[in-house]
Amino acid sequence: AQAWFPDLQPEGCTTYYSFYSQKDAWFKGVLAILDFPVEGIIQRPIEELNTRREELSPVATADGKRLYFARTNLMGTSSGEDIALSTKVDGKWSEPEVVQSLSSGGNEAPLALTADGRSMLLFQDGRLFMSQYRRGKWQRPDTLAGNWNDLKWVGKATLSSDGSILILEGSRERWETSSSSNTDLYICKRGKKGVWSKPVRLPRPINTSRRERSPFLHTDGRTLYLSSDGHQGLGGMDMYRTTRVGDG
């Protein structure tokens, strides 16, 4: 269809000329994406864990042997989403069990684990919490100490492998509008006393005037995956990867 959209202003057109002047760059970017080789990624459902209820927000330990995730209305628990744990045995995932100390009558979901598997970042009724694994069990979650007042809405977040860096999706607007307008990625650093620094908006080229969401920081501490509809893509929210340059 590219040939049917010449780079010229149609006769009688007095508005939206930017569409015609910018479309060549759009075609170039999209064609480059479509020319990427197929990477051979195979997706398959985890039959032993999937049910008619919702399973979401999976977080695996570094050794890949334990999987935490959220499930709605777990047996024996109150309504809402609770955190479950499954262990891989002989290549299969075991029947999940609710983690009682991380679950309540509200909604909980795991977000990230440190590399040693002893600190968990989780979502609880719209707020971020942290739990520590001590004496063979997860302790009751504590709210994150820090200044979060600038953000009217906080979503998913990710931790560095040592737990010293937190990257989260947030918005200075209320949720009712942020779900369809601008959300950005912010970074926080944990101080010596466990207090998190004020969230700082990541600069361009990561954040745009559109939505950036679902951050995932690789264990190397340098590779960040995210979703966005503000970069060149195939439409809607696409997945991107960015790499930190130097120590900045």
Side-chain angles (χ1 to χ4, degrees), residues 111-181:
L111 295 177
L113 283 167
T114 52
D116 60 9
R118 305 191 70 83
S119 297
M120 179 188 290
L121 180 69
L122 62 144
F123 206 54
Q124 189 175 75
D125 291 333
R127 299 174 63 189
L128 296 177
F129 285 74
M130 190 79 75
S131 175
Q132 305 298 325
Y133 191 81
R134 292 194 295 264
R135 297 184 294 276
K137 69 175 184 177
W138 288 102
Q139 305 301 303
R140 284 290 178 183
D142 293 321
T143 56
L144 270 63
N147 184 359
W148 310 93
N149 294 334
D150 282 354
L151 299 179
K152 303 296 184 185
W153 175 84
V154 172
K156 291 184 177 180
T158 182
L159 282 175
S160 60
S161 58
D162 63 357
S164 64
I165 299 293
L166 185 151
I167 298 177
L168 70 152
E169 59 179 14
S171 175
R172 292 188 172 96
E173 304 171 9
R174 294 187 304 171
W175 165 248
E176 290 83 358
T177 55
S178 66
S179 60
S180 59
S181 59

Side-chain angles (χ1 to χ4, degrees), residues 96-116:
E97 297 181 358
V98 63
V99 183
Q100 296 288 351
S101 59
L102 299 180
S103 303
S104 68
N107 293 312
E108 293 83 25
L111 295 177
L113 283 167
T114 52
D116 60 9

Side-chain angles (χ1 to χ4, degrees), residues 154-227:
V154 172
K156 291 184 177 180
T158 182
L159 282 175
S160 60
S161 58
D162 63 357
S164 64
I165 299 293
L166 185 151
I167 298 177
L168 70 152
E169 59 179 14
S171 175
R172 292 188 172 96
E173 304 171 9
R174 294 187 304 171
W175 165 248
E176 290 83 358
T177 55
S178 66
S179 60
S180 59
S181 59
N182 184 30
T183 54
D184 292 316
L185 300 186
Y186 294 78
I187 187 170
C188 306
K189 298 180 180 180
R190 190 180 63 183
K192 294 181 179 180
K193 296 183 179 181
V195 178
W196 291 91
S197 65
K198 184 178 179 179
V200 175
R201 182 180 181 273
L202 290 173
R204 288 183 178 272
I206 296 177
N207 282 319
T208 68
S209 59
R210 301 293 295 274
R211 295 178 298 172
E212 280 69 45
R213 302 194 63 180
S214 302
F216 175 79
L217 186 62
H218 191 273
T219 53
D220 63 8
R222 310 191 71 83
T223 308
L224 177 67
Y225 296 86
L226 64 140
S227 294

Side-chain angles (χ1 to χ4, degrees), residues 59-72:
V59 176
T61 54
D63 59 9
K65 295 181 179 179
R66 289 178 294 165
L67 182 67
Y68 295 90
F69 63 96
R71 177 183 283 177
T72 56

